[in-house]
Amino acid sequence: MLSAGREALDRIRLRPRCLVDVSDCDPGTSLLGARLAAPLGIAPMAYHRLAHPEGEVATARAAGAVGALLTVSMFASRTLEDIAAAATGPLWLQLYWLRRREAMAELVRRAEDAGYRALVLTVDTPRVAHRPRDARNGFAVPDDVRAVNIDPSLMSASHGAAAGRSAVARHSREQFDASVTWDDLAWLRERTSLPLVLKGVLTPQDAQLALKCGVEGIVVSNHGGRQLDFAQSAADALPEIAEVLSGHCQLILDGAIRYGADIARALCLGADAVFVGRPVLWGLAHSGSAGAAAVLRTLTDEFEEVMALMGAPRVDCFDAAGITLR
Ligand SMILES: Cc1cc2nc3c(=O)[nH]c(=O)nc-3n(C[C@H](O)[C@H](O)[C@H](O)COP(=O)(O)O)c2cc1C
């Protein structure tokens, strides 16, 4: 449920400090060594060409223009190399765990060669969940939009429309490896020197296990309410996880980030940064790269203003004292 994520953020009220010198607020930060204009990245989302013909290349230009991070989905509709050529800011690559591990290994090699700076393994999706709207619409990825970085023989189920069924859900049952456990992370580690980020952690127990595996980052996320229905929202889950992980690895929150104030809320809860998803696709659909950049710029400008009004001139000024629950 997307609304739960929004409600969780809306319960959080900000508590500003006054008479602080905010004449020169700096929303800049760094995430796994990459300098960002604000603690803001784009969440991995498949098939940007569904929103705009230029797809992820346009999104990469937008991210670069505003100094945001772009996380490229394994199911991107432009090649990793074309996206990298258009990017002027940091790129991370997201992976689902496929049964055909060689396809993952190949993507990792290409990402390294193209200068991607981290891998994001999505761990809340052993299969794509039943999404009633997709099933009702018999959703399938149209033939002219392709996950071009993956062997087409592994993707055909995504394009097979059938009344009353979601092709992407069926595809995931065929191609995702639902047997993967913590022990398998070693296989991925052996194939890369890139930092590893796990996306979709919602409990302190799993955060602890992730820490034991030595991951460099965690995205606290319920997949924007698109996976486990009635899952706890990321904002509600974050404080307990931050307690376990604080100072040990980077913490990112995603889901329902829609205002600059949400970035401040996430930082107060213990996050180092946030990811934003759907609004970027809305901007992209509206006016391509310029539209996506406008969304990111609005969030950044709003956040800078919140910093000033909160008496928090730097991102490390935000802490639990800056919020209260309604
Ligand atoms: C159209 C769409 C495609 C997505 N594709 C992926 C994906 O390929 N990999 C992934 O880990 N998450 C995927 N997600 C989930 C997002 O990364 C993110 O967790 C979610 O959208 C929450 O953010 P939002 O409320 O800002 O959209 C997708 C979300 C949307 C809306």
Side-chain angles (χ1 to χ4, degrees):
M1 286 185 299
L2 174 64
S3 58
R6 195 55 245 161
E7 282 159 19
L9 287 166
D10 280 336
R11 276 197 303 276
I12 300 166
R13 297 298 182 189
L14 299 172
R15 295 177 0 129
R17 298 295 305 272
C18 52
L19 292 175
V20 177
D21 178 356
V22 290
S23 58
D24 186 20
C25 291
D26 177 10
T29 192
S30 62
L31 203 56
L32 293 181
R35 197 67 207 153
L36 303 178
L40 179 62
I42 301 175
M45 291 178 290
Y47 303 112
H48 289 201
R49 288 195 64 248
L50 286 173
H52 189 274
E54 284 191 304
E56 289 81 359
V57 163
T59 318
R61 278 206 306 273
V66 300
L69 166 81
L70 169 60
T71 312
V72 175
S73 167
M74 165 183 239
F75 298 133
S77 49
R78 299 294 303 268
T79 66
L80 299 187
E81 294 77 10
D82 283 352
I83 299 166
T88 52
L91 298 173
W92 293 359
L93 174 68
Q94 175 268 337
L95 299 168
Y96 290 115
W97 202 293
L98 300 182
R99 292 179 205 259
R100 179 94 67 90
R101 289 191 179 193
E102 192 38 48
M104 293 170 67
E106 169 68 15
L107 272 187
V108 170
R109 273 195 296 276
R110 282 175 53 195
E112 285 184 346
D113 288 348
Y116 287 61
R117 300 202 201 170
L119 299 177
V120 178
L121 177 68
T122 301
V123 291
D124 59 12
T125 311
R127 62 172 75 158
V128 168
H130 172 65
R131 297 172 186 161
R133 223 178 325 180
D134 285 358
R136 219 169 28 244
N137 296 330
F139 177 72
V141 182
D143 280 341
D144 62 338
V145 176
R146 297 266 164 189
V148 293
N149 295 294
I150 314 266
D151 180 342
S153 70
L154 302 184
M155 295 308 301
S156 53
S158 296
H159 299 275
R165 295 179 66 182
S166 157
V168 294
R170 195 166 69 248
H171 169 262
S172 72
R173 295 245 191 168
E174 269 182 22
Q175 301 296 341
F176 289 18
D177 185 348
S179 73
V180 167
T181 69
W182 292 97
D183 293 338
D184 294 297
L185 295 185
W187 177 89
L188 188 55
R189 280 286 198 199
E190 280 163 19
R191 270 145 197 86
T192 185
S193 55
L194 292 176
L196 182 60
V197 177
L198 299 186
K199 174 172 179 280
V201 171
L202 279 179
T203 64
Q205 292 86 348
D206 281 347
Q208 197 81 60
L209 289 169
L211 204 56
K212 263 174 66 191
C213 291
V215 304
E216 281 80 7
I218 282 190
V219 185
V220 180
S221 167
N222 70 6
H223 217 106
R226 292 160 65 83
Q227 280 297 111
L228 174 66
D229 234 349
F230 310 107
Q232 189 178 28
S233 71
D236 283 335
L238 181 59
E240 271 185 291
I241 293 176
E243 216 167 282
V244 173
L245 295 183
S246 180
H248 295 295
C249 78
Q250 305 249 251
L251 258 182
I252 300 161
L253 174 131
D254 92 356
I257 297 292
R258 300 292 180 266
Y259 306 100
D262 295 336
I263 305 176
R265 287 162 154 157
L267 298 190
C268 289
L269 291 171
D272 296 303
V274 303
F275 278 172
V276 59
R278 279 160 279 208
V280 174
L281 290 186
W282 300 331
L284 196 62
H286 180 271
S287 46
S289 191
V295 167
L296 296 167
R297 197 168 290 118
T298 302
L299 284 168
T300 303
D301 289 350
E302 284 179 0
F303 175 59
E304 192 276 339
E305 172 148 300
V306 170
M307 292 178 84
L309 300 181
M310 282 281 287
R314 292 178 319 280
V315 296
D316 61 7
C317 297
F318 291 96
D319 61 24
I323 49 172
T324 186
L325 288 182
R326 182 154 56 98

